[in-house]
Amino acid sequence: DTEVTQTPKHLVMGMTNKKSLKCEQHMGHRAMYWYKQKAKKPPELMFVYSYEKLSINESVPSRFSPECPNSSLLNLHLHALQPEDSALYLCASSQVENPYNEQFFGPGTRLTVL
Amino acid sequence: EDQVTQSPEALRLQEGESSSLNCSYTVSGLRGLFWYRQDPGKGPEFLFTLYSAGEEKEKERLKATLTKKESFLHITAPKPEDSATYLCAVRWNAGNNRKLIWGLGTSLAVNP
């Protein structure tokens, strides 16, 4: 199984809402990532978890709050977002957080902030 | 400045017309070069990892090669289903920086 799953596929939220994005992988990978992707741009790294601990936070605003409940799950909690946060949010995983390891991406959540 | 540049930005081919996409990089201490395919509104699909100059990998109609300064993704006799954006990313391990550097991608359209 080389699949990373993400839910929901689409999400529309107001600026005062609280919502969560979910990601799951069953490949035994110990590194998981959140990316944000705008149209016609490459993915932009937000967070990295390595062995369920936050390893990298790319100076992401606090309205985005990641959580890694266990080695298979990754959540991204959203609160008080801005319209400019509308984007495709991608989850990825790799065997470990190693420069040599390829990352496998999920299908993404298309987020629209009104 | 470390960077990754992909060319061309967009490419339109006729079915069966072979061509190559380019990914050039200026990072030092390369730890891996990754090719991904991305369809609109979907996550990137992993294609290849290349680690050292001279390395080549193949998958169906795709072949990726690596030199010390660039990588090529050769597409032989493409089909319309090969239409997608092809992304190149480079990983290097200078100091504490463990990020991928991404190119902007090549948008490929294959006409039947």
Side-chain angles (χ1 to χ4, degrees), chain A residues 35 37 42-43 55-56 58 90 97-103 105-107, chain B residues 31 34 36 38 41-44 46 49 51 91 93 98-100 102-104:
Chain A
Y35 286 86
Q37 187 177 28
S55 171
I56 295 177
E58 287 291 311
L90 296 163
E97 192 198 349
N98 181 302
Y100 299 90
N101 287 161
E102 52 270 11
Q103 297 176 21
F105 286 82
Chain B
R31 291 294 181 263
F34 306 90
Y36 287 87
Q38 187 171 25
K42 297 188 177 181
F46 170 72
T49 307
Y51 294 115
R91 195 88 183 258
N93 199 25
R98 307 186 297 277
K99 290 197 308 183
L100 283 170
W102 293 83
L104 294 179

PDB file of all heavy atoms in Angstrom, chain A residues 35 37 42-43 55-56 58 90 97-103 105-107, chain B residues 31 34 36 38 41-44 46 49 51 91 93 98-100 102-104:
ATOM      1  N   TYR A  35       2.091  20.568   3.167  1.00  0.00           N
ATOM      2  CA  TYR A  35       2.464  21.548   2.161  1.00  0.00           C
ATOM      3  C   TYR A  35       1.234  22.371   1.785  1.00  0.00           C
ATOM      4  O   TYR A  35       0.112  21.893   1.846  1.00  0.00           O
ATOM      5  CB  TYR A  35       2.961  20.879   0.879  1.00  0.00           C
ATOM      6  CG  TYR A  35       4.329  20.261   0.918  1.00  0.00           C
ATOM      7  CD1 TYR A  35       4.523  18.963   1.366  1.00  0.00           C
ATOM      8  CD2 TYR A  35       5.440  20.971   0.472  1.00  0.00           C
ATOM      9  CE1 TYR A  35       5.789  18.387   1.373  1.00  0.00           C
ATOM     10  CE2 TYR A  35       6.702  20.409   0.466  1.00  0.00           C
ATOM     11  CZ  TYR A  35       6.866  19.117   0.914  1.00  0.00           C
ATOM     12  OH  TYR A  35       8.116  18.550   0.901  1.00  0.00           O
ATOM     13  N   GLN A  37      -0.125  24.600  -1.608  1.00  0.00           N
ATOM     14  CA  GLN A  37       0.173  24.841  -3.013  1.00  0.00           C
ATOM     15  C   GLN A  37      -0.849  25.787  -3.635  1.00  0.00           C
ATOM     16  O   GLN A  37      -2.048  25.510  -3.634  1.00  0.00           O
ATOM     17  CB  GLN A  37       0.215  23.529  -3.806  1.00  0.00           C
ATOM     18  CG  GLN A  37       0.695  23.709  -5.232  1.00  0.00           C
ATOM     19  CD  GLN A  37       0.814  22.394  -5.996  1.00  0.00           C
ATOM     20  OE1 GLN A  37       0.111  21.435  -5.703  1.00  0.00           O
ATOM     21  NE2 GLN A  37       1.721  22.344  -6.973  1.00  0.00           N
ATOM     22  N   PRO A  42       4.862  25.558  -7.222  1.00  0.00           N
ATOM     23  CA  PRO A  42       5.203  24.269  -6.618  1.00  0.00           C
ATOM     24  C   PRO A  42       4.711  24.215  -5.172  1.00  0.00           C
ATOM     25  O   PRO A  42       4.361  25.243  -4.594  1.00  0.00           O
ATOM     26  CB  PRO A  42       6.731  24.250  -6.684  1.00  0.00           C
ATOM     27  CG  PRO A  42       7.125  25.683  -6.674  1.00  0.00           C
ATOM     28  CD  PRO A  42       6.036  26.422  -7.403  1.00  0.00           C
ATOM     29  N   PRO A  43       4.696  23.025  -4.580  1.00  0.00           N
ATOM     30  CA  PRO A  43       4.312  22.923  -3.160  1.00  0.00           C
ATOM     31  C   PRO A  43       5.273  23.708  -2.276  1.00  0.00           C
ATOM     32  O   PRO A  43       6.474  23.766  -2.519  1.00  0.00           O
ATOM     33  CB  PRO A  43       4.419  21.416  -2.884  1.00  0.00           C
ATOM     34  CG  PRO A  43       4.300  20.761  -4.217  1.00  0.00           C
ATOM     35  CD  PRO A  43       4.944  21.706  -5.179  1.00  0.00           C
ATOM     36  N   SER A  55       9.354  18.649  13.664  1.00  0.00           N
ATOM     37  CA  SER A  55      10.758  18.807  13.318  1.00  0.00           C
ATOM     38  C   SER A  55      11.031  20.150  12.651  1.00  0.00           C
ATOM     39  O   SER A  55      12.069  20.766  12.892  1.00  0.00           O
ATOM     40  CB  SER A  55      11.163  17.662  12.380  1.00  0.00           C
ATOM     41  OG  SER A  55      12.450  17.862  11.848  1.00  0.00           O
ATOM     42  N   ILE A  56      10.113  20.566  11.789  1.00  0.00           N
ATOM     43  CA  ILE A  56      10.287  21.823  11.058  1.00  0.00           C
ATOM     44  C   ILE A  56       8.957  22.572  11.046  1.00  0.00           C
ATOM     45  O   ILE A  56       7.910  22.006  10.771  1.00  0.00           O
ATOM     46  CB  ILE A  56      10.737  21.575   9.600  1.00  0.00           C
ATOM     47  CG1 ILE A  56      12.122  20.929   9.557  1.00  0.00           C
ATOM     48  CG2 ILE A  56      10.750  22.883   8.814  1.00  0.00           C
ATOM     49  CD1 ILE A  56      12.598  20.583   8.148  1.00  0.00           C
ATOM     50  N   GLU A  58       7.957  26.035   9.158  1.00  0.00           N
ATOM     51  CA  GLU A  58       8.485  27.035   8.239  1.00  0.00           C
ATOM     52  C   GLU A  58       7.855  28.407   8.496  1.00  0.00           C
ATOM     53  O   GLU A  58       7.316  29.033   7.574  1.00  0.00           O
ATOM     54  CB  GLU A  58       8.257  26.600   6.790  1.00  0.00           C
ATOM     55  CG  GLU A  58       9.170  25.473   6.351  1.00  0.00           C
ATOM     56  CD  GLU A  58      10.618  25.932   6.244  1.00  0.00           C
ATOM     57  OE1 GLU A  58      10.879  26.968   5.624  1.00  0.00           O
ATOM     58  OE2 GLU A  58      11.476  25.255   6.835  1.00  0.00           O
ATOM     59  N   LEU A  90      -1.578  19.850   0.838  1.00  0.00           N
ATOM     60  CA  LEU A  90      -1.069  18.517   0.542  1.00  0.00           C
ATOM     61  C   LEU A  90      -0.376  17.925   1.755  1.00  0.00           C
ATOM     62  O   LEU A  90       0.389  18.598   2.442  1.00  0.00           O
ATOM     63  CB  LEU A  90      -0.067  18.581  -0.610  1.00  0.00           C
ATOM     64  CG  LEU A  90      -0.615  19.029  -1.963  1.00  0.00           C
ATOM     65  CD1 LEU A  90       0.519  19.436  -2.889  1.00  0.00           C
ATOM     66  CD2 LEU A  90      -1.441  17.921  -2.591  1.00  0.00           C
ATOM     67  N   GLU A  97      12.823  11.158   7.861  1.00  0.00           N
ATOM     68  CA  GLU A  97      13.174  12.493   7.387  1.00  0.00           C
ATOM     69  C   GLU A  97      14.642  12.475   7.000  1.00  0.00           C
ATOM     70  O   GLU A  97      15.519  12.813   7.773  1.00  0.00           O
ATOM     71  CB  GLU A  97      12.903  13.541   8.454  1.00  0.00           C
ATOM     72  CG  GLU A  97      12.975  14.958   7.903  1.00  0.00           C
ATOM     73  CD  GLU A  97      13.137  15.999   8.970  1.00  0.00           C
ATOM     74  OE1 GLU A  97      12.997  15.660  10.163  1.00  0.00           O
ATOM     75  OE2 GLU A  97      13.432  17.146   8.627  1.00  0.00           O
ATOM     76  N   ASN A  98      14.879  12.068   5.788  1.00  0.00           N
ATOM     77  CA  ASN A  98      16.237  11.839   5.300  1.00  0.00           C
ATOM     78  C   ASN A  98      16.346  12.489   3.932  1.00  0.00           C
ATOM     79  O   ASN A  98      15.453  12.369   3.118  1.00  0.00           O
ATOM     80  CB  ASN A  98      16.463  10.326   5.196  1.00  0.00           C
ATOM     81  CG  ASN A  98      17.855   9.985   4.713  1.00  0.00           C
ATOM     82  OD1 ASN A  98      18.267  10.398   3.638  1.00  0.00           O
ATOM     83  ND2 ASN A  98      18.571   9.220   5.521  1.00  0.00           N
ATOM     84  N   PRO A  99      17.448  13.167   3.677  1.00  0.00           N
ATOM     85  CA  PRO A  99      17.576  13.824   2.365  1.00  0.00           C
ATOM     86  C   PRO A  99      17.436  12.887   1.186  1.00  0.00           C
ATOM     87  O   PRO A  99      17.130  13.318   0.089  1.00  0.00           O
ATOM     88  CB  PRO A  99      18.980  14.424   2.424  1.00  0.00           C
ATOM     89  CG  PRO A  99      19.276  14.587   3.857  1.00  0.00           C
ATOM     90  CD  PRO A  99      18.580  13.458   4.549  1.00  0.00           C
ATOM     91  N   TYR A 100      17.676  11.608   1.391  1.00  0.00           N
ATOM     92  CA  TYR A 100      17.659  10.666   0.279  1.00  0.00           C
ATOM     93  C   TYR A 100      16.269  10.087  -0.004  1.00  0.00           C
ATOM     94  O   TYR A 100      16.066   9.462  -1.033  1.00  0.00           O
ATOM     95  CB  TYR A 100      18.599   9.482   0.556  1.00  0.00           C
ATOM     96  CG  TYR A 100      20.036   9.881   0.745  1.00  0.00           C
ATOM     97  CD1 TYR A 100      20.529  10.193   2.006  1.00  0.00           C
ATOM     98  CD2 TYR A 100      20.898   9.962  -0.340  1.00  0.00           C
ATOM     99  CE1 TYR A 100      21.849  10.567   2.181  1.00  0.00           C
ATOM    100  CE2 TYR A 100      22.224  10.322  -0.171  1.00  0.00           C
ATOM    101  CZ  TYR A 100      22.700  10.623   1.084  1.00  0.00           C
ATOM    102  OH  TYR A 100      24.000  10.994   1.256  1.00  0.00           O
ATOM    103  N   ASN A 101      15.360  10.263   0.915  1.00  0.00           N
ATOM    104  CA  ASN A 101      14.061   9.593   0.792  1.00  0.00           C
ATOM    105  C   ASN A 101      13.057  10.403  -0.025  1.00  0.00           C
ATOM    106  O   ASN A 101      12.854  11.579   0.222  1.00  0.00           O
ATOM    107  CB  ASN A 101      13.457   9.355   2.178  1.00  0.00           C
ATOM    108  CG  ASN A 101      14.155   8.259   2.944  1.00  0.00           C
ATOM    109  OD1 ASN A 101      14.032   8.175   4.147  1.00  0.00           O
ATOM    110  ND2 ASN A 101      14.886   7.417   2.236  1.00  0.00           N
ATOM    111  N   GLU A 102      12.414   9.706  -0.941  1.00  0.00           N
ATOM    112  CA  GLU A 102      11.352  10.353  -1.702  1.00  0.00           C
ATOM    113  C   GLU A 102      10.108  10.505  -0.829  1.00  0.00           C
ATOM    114  O   GLU A 102       9.872   9.706   0.077  1.00  0.00           O
ATOM    115  CB  GLU A 102      10.996   9.552  -2.956  1.00  0.00           C
ATOM    116  CG  GLU A 102      10.691   8.095  -2.738  1.00  0.00           C
ATOM    117  CD  GLU A 102      11.943   7.211  -2.832  1.00  0.00           C
ATOM    118  OE1 GLU A 102      13.070   7.749  -2.863  1.00  0.00           O
ATOM    119  OE2 GLU A 102      11.774   5.987  -2.865  1.00  0.00           O
ATOM    120  N   GLN A 103       9.328  11.542  -1.126  1.00  0.00           N
ATOM    121  CA  GLN A 103       8.085  11.797  -0.414  1.00  0.00           C
ATOM    122  C   GLN A 103       6.912  11.369  -1.283  1.00  0.00           C
ATOM    123  O   GLN A 103       6.905  11.588  -2.492  1.00  0.00           O
ATOM    124  CB  GLN A 103       7.957  13.284  -0.075  1.00  0.00           C
ATOM    125  CG  GLN A 103       9.052  13.761   0.874  1.00  0.00           C
ATOM    126  CD  GLN A 103       8.999  15.238   1.147  1.00  0.00           C
ATOM    127  OE1 GLN A 103       7.970  15.891   0.965  1.00  0.00           O
ATOM    128  NE2 GLN A 103      10.108  15.796   1.616  1.00  0.00           N
ATOM    129  N   PHE A 105       2.870  11.810  -1.857  1.00  0.00           N
ATOM    130  CA  PHE A 105       1.848  12.808  -1.584  1.00  0.00           C
ATOM    131  C   PHE A 105       0.450  12.217  -1.620  1.00  0.00           C
ATOM    132  O   PHE A 105       0.153  11.288  -2.379  1.00  0.00           O
ATOM    133  CB  PHE A 105       1.921  13.939  -2.616  1.00  0.00           C
ATOM    134  CG  PHE A 105       3.070  14.862  -2.414  1.00  0.00           C
ATOM    135  CD1 PHE A 105       4.341  14.537  -2.878  1.00  0.00           C
ATOM    136  CD2 PHE A 105       2.904  16.078  -1.755  1.00  0.00           C
ATOM    137  CE1 PHE A 105       5.412  15.391  -2.689  1.00  0.00           C
ATOM    138  CE2 PHE A 105       3.972  16.935  -1.564  1.00  0.00           C
ATOM    139  CZ  PHE A 105       5.227  16.590  -2.030  1.00  0.00           C
ATOM    140  N   GLY A 106      -0.426  12.817  -0.821  1.00  0.00           N
ATOM    141  CA  GLY A 106      -1.840  12.533  -0.898  1.00  0.00           C
ATOM    142  C   GLY A 106      -2.495  13.365  -1.984  1.00  0.00           C
ATOM    143  O   GLY A 106      -1.837  14.191  -2.624  1.00  0.00           O
ATOM    144  N   PRO A 107      -3.800  13.174  -2.205  1.00  0.00           N
ATOM    145  CA  PRO A 107      -4.503  13.885  -3.280  1.00  0.00           C
ATOM    146  C   PRO A 107      -4.792  15.350  -2.959  1.00  0.00           C
ATOM    147  O   PRO A 107      -5.125  16.122  -3.855  1.00  0.00           O
ATOM    148  CB  PRO A 107      -5.813  13.108  -3.413  1.00  0.00           C
ATOM    149  CG  PRO A 107      -6.018  12.505  -2.070  1.00  0.00           C
ATOM    150  CD  PRO A 107      -4.652  12.197  -1.531  1.00  0.00           C
TER     151      PRO A 107
ATOM    152  N   ARG B  31      21.758  15.788  -2.568  1.00  0.00           N
ATOM    153  CA  ARG B  31      21.447  14.535  -1.863  1.00  0.00           C
ATOM    154  C   ARG B  31      20.353  13.753  -2.569  1.00  0.00           C
ATOM    155  O   ARG B  31      19.981  12.686  -2.130  1.00  0.00           O
ATOM    156  CB  ARG B  31      21.024  14.835  -0.435  1.00  0.00           C
ATOM    157  CG  ARG B  31      22.158  15.345   0.433  1.00  0.00           C
ATOM    158  CD  ARG B  31      23.235  14.298   0.648  1.00  0.00           C
ATOM    159  NE  ARG B  31      24.312  14.790   1.500  1.00  0.00           N
ATOM    160  CZ  ARG B  31      25.447  15.291   1.032  1.00  0.00           C
ATOM    161  NH1 ARG B  31      25.637  15.372  -0.263  1.00  0.00           N
ATOM    162  NH2 ARG B  31      26.377  15.710   1.861  1.00  0.00           N
ATOM    163  N   PHE B  34      14.446  14.631  -7.503  1.00  0.00           N
ATOM    164  CA  PHE B  34      13.184  13.906  -7.584  1.00  0.00           C
ATOM    165  C   PHE B  34      12.340  14.469  -8.719  1.00  0.00           C
ATOM    166  O   PHE B  34      12.221  15.681  -8.885  1.00  0.00           O
ATOM    167  CB  PHE B  34      12.413  14.037  -6.269  1.00  0.00           C
ATOM    168  CG  PHE B  34      13.211  13.638  -5.060  1.00  0.00           C
ATOM    169  CD1 PHE B  34      13.965  14.574  -4.380  1.00  0.00           C
ATOM    170  CD2 PHE B  34      13.210  12.336  -4.604  1.00  0.00           C
ATOM    171  CE1 PHE B  34      14.718  14.222  -3.260  1.00  0.00           C
ATOM    172  CE2 PHE B  34      13.950  11.967  -3.494  1.00  0.00           C
ATOM    173  CZ  PHE B  34      14.710  12.909  -2.824  1.00  0.00           C
ATOM    174  N   TYR B  36       8.430  14.438 -10.218  1.00  0.00           N
ATOM    175  CA  TYR B  36       7.037  14.160  -9.900  1.00  0.00           C
ATOM    176  C   TYR B  36       6.170  14.556 -11.087  1.00  0.00           C
ATOM    177  O   TYR B  36       6.491  15.476 -11.831  1.00  0.00           O
ATOM    178  CB  TYR B  36       6.558  14.969  -8.683  1.00  0.00           C
ATOM    179  CG  TYR B  36       7.096  14.502  -7.356  1.00  0.00           C
ATOM    180  CD1 TYR B  36       8.324  14.972  -6.883  1.00  0.00           C
ATOM    181  CD2 TYR B  36       6.374  13.618  -6.562  1.00  0.00           C
ATOM    182  CE1 TYR B  36       8.810  14.551  -5.657  1.00  0.00           C
ATOM    183  CE2 TYR B  36       6.854  13.198  -5.323  1.00  0.00           C
ATOM    184  CZ  TYR B  36       8.067  13.666  -4.889  1.00  0.00           C
ATOM    185  OH  TYR B  36       8.552  13.254  -3.667  1.00  0.00           O
ATOM    186  N   GLN B  38       2.202  15.876 -11.797  1.00  0.00           N
ATOM    187  CA  GLN B  38       1.025  16.378 -11.099  1.00  0.00           C
ATOM    188  C   GLN B  38      -0.090  16.679 -12.083  1.00  0.00           C
ATOM    189  O   GLN B  38       0.093  17.478 -13.008  1.00  0.00           O
ATOM    190  CB  GLN B  38       1.348  17.633 -10.267  1.00  0.00           C
ATOM    191  CG  GLN B  38       0.178  18.073  -9.398  1.00  0.00           C
ATOM    192  CD  GLN B  38       0.538  19.167  -8.417  1.00  0.00           C
ATOM    193  OE1 GLN B  38       1.472  19.932  -8.623  1.00  0.00           O
ATOM    194  NE2 GLN B  38      -0.194  19.249  -7.314  1.00  0.00           N
ATOM    195  N   GLY B  41      -5.326  19.805  -9.804  1.00  0.00           N
ATOM    196  CA  GLY B  41      -6.129  19.617  -8.608  1.00  0.00           C
ATOM    197  C   GLY B  41      -5.786  18.382  -7.804  1.00  0.00           C
ATOM    198  O   GLY B  41      -6.500  18.042  -6.853  1.00  0.00           O
ATOM    199  N   LYS B  42      -4.693  17.703  -8.147  1.00  0.00           N
ATOM    200  CA  LYS B  42      -4.298  16.487  -7.427  1.00  0.00           C
ATOM    201  C   LYS B  42      -2.900  16.635  -6.856  1.00  0.00           C
ATOM    202  O   LYS B  42      -2.162  17.551  -7.214  1.00  0.00           O
ATOM    203  CB  LYS B  42      -4.373  15.273  -8.353  1.00  0.00           C
ATOM    204  CG  LYS B  42      -5.773  14.988  -8.863  1.00  0.00           C
ATOM    205  CD  LYS B  42      -5.831  13.682  -9.610  1.00  0.00           C
ATOM    206  CE  LYS B  42      -7.263  13.380 -10.047  1.00  0.00           C
ATOM    207  NZ  LYS B  42      -7.363  12.088 -10.771  1.00  0.00           N
ATOM    208  N   GLY B  43      -2.529  15.716  -5.967  1.00  0.00           N
ATOM    209  CA  GLY B  43      -1.197  15.761  -5.387  1.00  0.00           C
ATOM    210  C   GLY B  43      -0.150  15.238  -6.354  1.00  0.00           C
ATOM    211  O   GLY B  43      -0.446  14.470  -7.253  1.00  0.00           O
ATOM    212  N   PRO B  44       1.100  15.659  -6.182  1.00  0.00           N
ATOM    213  CA  PRO B  44       2.179  15.156  -7.032  1.00  0.00           C
ATOM    214  C   PRO B  44       2.341  13.646  -6.898  1.00  0.00           C
ATOM    215  O   PRO B  44       2.269  13.108  -5.793  1.00  0.00           O
ATOM    216  CB  PRO B  44       3.413  15.894  -6.514  1.00  0.00           C
ATOM    217  CG  PRO B  44       2.888  17.123  -5.857  1.00  0.00           C
ATOM    218  CD  PRO B  44       1.580  16.699  -5.251  1.00  0.00           C
ATOM    219  N   PHE B  46       4.908  10.567  -7.355  1.00  0.00           N
ATOM    220  CA  PHE B  46       6.345  10.307  -7.438  1.00  0.00           C
ATOM    221  C   PHE B  46       6.675   9.483  -8.674  1.00  0.00           C
ATOM    222  O   PHE B  46       6.006   8.480  -8.972  1.00  0.00           O
ATOM    223  CB  PHE B  46       6.804   9.579  -6.179  1.00  0.00           C
ATOM    224  CG  PHE B  46       8.207   9.063  -6.267  1.00  0.00           C
ATOM    225  CD1 PHE B  46       9.279   9.938  -6.214  1.00  0.00           C
ATOM    226  CD2 PHE B  46       8.459   7.714  -6.416  1.00  0.00           C
ATOM    227  CE1 PHE B  46      10.583   9.479  -6.295  1.00  0.00           C
ATOM    228  CE2 PHE B  46       9.753   7.232  -6.495  1.00  0.00           C
ATOM    229  CZ  PHE B  46      10.819   8.126  -6.446  1.00  0.00           C
ATOM    230  N   THR B  49      13.755   8.981  -8.383  1.00  0.00           N
ATOM    231  CA  THR B  49      14.799   9.612  -7.596  1.00  0.00           C
ATOM    232  C   THR B  49      16.135   9.321  -8.263  1.00  0.00           C
ATOM    233  O   THR B  49      16.411   8.170  -8.629  1.00  0.00           O
ATOM    234  CB  THR B  49      14.857   9.062  -6.160  1.00  0.00           C
ATOM    235  OG1 THR B  49      13.576   9.142  -5.570  1.00  0.00           O
ATOM    236  CG2 THR B  49      15.838   9.875  -5.334  1.00  0.00           C
ATOM    237  N   TYR B  51      20.371  10.011  -7.674  1.00  0.00           N
ATOM    238  CA  TYR B  51      21.279  10.400  -6.591  1.00  0.00           C
ATOM    239  C   TYR B  51      22.634  10.891  -7.087  1.00  0.00           C
ATOM    240  O   TYR B  51      23.258  11.725  -6.426  1.00  0.00           O
ATOM    241  CB  TYR B  51      21.506   9.217  -5.650  1.00  0.00           C
ATOM    242  CG  TYR B  51      20.276   8.796  -4.898  1.00  0.00           C
ATOM    243  CD1 TYR B  51      19.699   7.550  -5.118  1.00  0.00           C
ATOM    244  CD2 TYR B  51      19.684   9.634  -3.963  1.00  0.00           C
ATOM    245  CE1 TYR B  51      18.565   7.157  -4.424  1.00  0.00           C
ATOM    246  CE2 TYR B  51      18.554   9.251  -3.261  1.00  0.00           C
ATOM    247  CZ  TYR B  51      18.006   8.016  -3.496  1.00  0.00           C
ATOM    248  OH  TYR B  51      16.884   7.627  -2.814  1.00  0.00           O
ATOM    249  N   ARG B  91      17.009  17.879  -3.217  1.00  0.00           N
ATOM    250  CA  ARG B  91      17.247  17.835  -1.781  1.00  0.00           C
ATOM    251  C   ARG B  91      18.752  17.958  -1.548  1.00  0.00           C
ATOM    252  O   ARG B  91      19.544  17.285  -2.183  1.00  0.00           O
ATOM    253  CB  ARG B  91      16.756  16.515  -1.206  1.00  0.00           C
ATOM    254  CG  ARG B  91      16.606  16.486   0.311  1.00  0.00           C
ATOM    255  CD  ARG B  91      15.239  16.956   0.736  1.00  0.00           C
ATOM    256  NE  ARG B  91      15.097  17.013   2.179  1.00  0.00           N
ATOM    257  CZ  ARG B  91      14.461  16.100   2.907  1.00  0.00           C
ATOM    258  NH1 ARG B  91      13.953  15.027   2.312  1.00  0.00           N
ATOM    259  NH2 ARG B  91      14.328  16.242   4.195  1.00  0.00           N
ATOM    260  N   ASN B  93      21.749  18.913   1.765  1.00  0.00           N
ATOM    261  CA  ASN B  93      21.851  18.823   3.210  1.00  0.00           C
ATOM    262  C   ASN B  93      22.953  19.724   3.720  1.00  0.00           C
ATOM    263  O   ASN B  93      23.884  19.277   4.360  1.00  0.00           O
ATOM    264  CB  ASN B  93      22.122  17.381   3.619  1.00  0.00           C
ATOM    265  CG  ASN B  93      21.792  17.148   5.085  1.00  0.00           C
ATOM    266  OD1 ASN B  93      20.985  17.853   5.672  1.00  0.00           O
ATOM    267  ND2 ASN B  93      22.419  16.168   5.675  1.00  0.00           N
ATOM    268  N   ARG B  98      17.093  21.035   5.461  1.00  0.00           N
ATOM    269  CA  ARG B  98      16.782  19.716   4.914  1.00  0.00           C
ATOM    270  C   ARG B  98      15.612  19.774   3.947  1.00  0.00           C
ATOM    271  O   ARG B  98      14.989  18.784   3.669  1.00  0.00           O
ATOM    272  CB  ARG B  98      16.468  18.758   6.064  1.00  0.00           C
ATOM    273  CG  ARG B  98      17.557  18.717   7.119  1.00  0.00           C
ATOM    274  CD  ARG B  98      17.280  17.666   8.156  1.00  0.00           C
ATOM    275  NE  ARG B  98      16.077  17.897   8.909  1.00  0.00           N
ATOM    276  CZ  ARG B  98      15.996  18.698   9.966  1.00  0.00           C
ATOM    277  NH1 ARG B  98      17.053  19.391  10.350  1.00  0.00           N
ATOM    278  NH2 ARG B  98      14.869  18.834  10.628  1.00  0.00           N
ATOM    279  N   LYS B  99      15.319  20.961   3.419  1.00  0.00           N
ATOM    280  CA  LYS B  99      14.138  21.110   2.574  1.00  0.00           C
ATOM    281  C   LYS B  99      14.385  20.645   1.158  1.00  0.00           C
ATOM    282  O   LYS B  99      15.494  20.553   0.678  1.00  0.00           O
ATOM    283  CB  LYS B  99      13.719  22.578   2.504  1.00  0.00           C
ATOM    284  CG  LYS B  99      13.157  23.128   3.776  1.00  0.00           C
ATOM    285  CD  LYS B  99      12.406  24.427   3.520  1.00  0.00           C
ATOM    286  CE  LYS B  99      13.197  25.447   2.750  1.00  0.00           C
ATOM    287  NZ  LYS B  99      12.444  26.713   2.602  1.00  0.00           N
ATOM    288  N   LEU B 100      13.254  20.415   0.489  1.00  0.00           N
ATOM    289  CA  LEU B 100      13.274  20.248  -0.954  1.00  0.00           C
ATOM    290  C   LEU B 100      13.216  21.633  -1.595  1.00  0.00           C
ATOM    291  O   LEU B 100      12.492  22.495  -1.139  1.00  0.00           O
ATOM    292  CB  LEU B 100      12.064  19.448  -1.420  1.00  0.00           C
ATOM    293  CG  LEU B 100      12.067  17.935  -1.210  1.00  0.00           C
ATOM    294  CD1 LEU B 100      10.691  17.367  -1.501  1.00  0.00           C
ATOM    295  CD2 LEU B 100      13.107  17.292  -2.103  1.00  0.00           C
ATOM    296  N   TRP B 102      12.034  23.227  -5.061  1.00  0.00           N
ATOM    297  CA  TRP B 102      11.210  22.831  -6.204  1.00  0.00           C
ATOM    298  C   TRP B 102      11.428  23.766  -7.383  1.00  0.00           C
ATOM    299  O   TRP B 102      11.591  24.974  -7.208  1.00  0.00           O
ATOM    300  CB  TRP B 102       9.737  22.877  -5.833  1.00  0.00           C
ATOM    301  CG  TRP B 102       9.315  21.872  -4.811  1.00  0.00           C
ATOM    302  CD1 TRP B 102       9.438  21.991  -3.467  1.00  0.00           C
ATOM    303  CD2 TRP B 102       8.691  20.609  -5.056  1.00  0.00           C
ATOM    304  NE1 TRP B 102       8.930  20.867  -2.853  1.00  0.00           N
ATOM    305  CE2 TRP B 102       8.467  20.018  -3.791  1.00  0.00           C
ATOM    306  CE3 TRP B 102       8.292  19.926  -6.203  1.00  0.00           C
ATOM    307  CZ2 TRP B 102       7.869  18.754  -3.664  1.00  0.00           C
ATOM    308  CZ3 TRP B 102       7.701  18.680  -6.076  1.00  0.00           C
ATOM    309  CH2 TRP B 102       7.492  18.109  -4.816  1.00  0.00           C
ATOM    310  N   GLY B 103      11.382  23.188  -8.575  1.00  0.00           N
ATOM    311  CA  GLY B 103      11.253  24.005  -9.774  1.00  0.00           C
ATOM    312  C   GLY B 103       9.798  24.401  -9.954  1.00  0.00           C
ATOM    313  O   GLY B 103       8.915  23.927  -9.233  1.00  0.00           O
ATOM    314  N   LEU B 104       9.545  25.279 -10.931  1.00  0.00           N
ATOM    315  CA  LEU B 104       8.184  25.744 -11.174  1.00  0.00           C
ATOM    316  C   LEU B 104       7.384  24.790 -12.050  1.00  0.00           C
ATOM    317  O   LEU B 104       6.182  24.977 -12.228  1.00  0.00           O
ATOM    318  CB  LEU B 104       8.202  27.134 -11.803  1.00  0.00           C
ATOM    319  CG  LEU B 104       8.748  28.239 -10.895  1.00  0.00           C
ATOM    320  CD1 LEU B 104       8.736  29.576 -11.623  1.00  0.00           C
ATOM    321  CD2 LEU B 104       7.954  28.344  -9.610  1.00  0.00           C
TER     322      LEU B 104
END
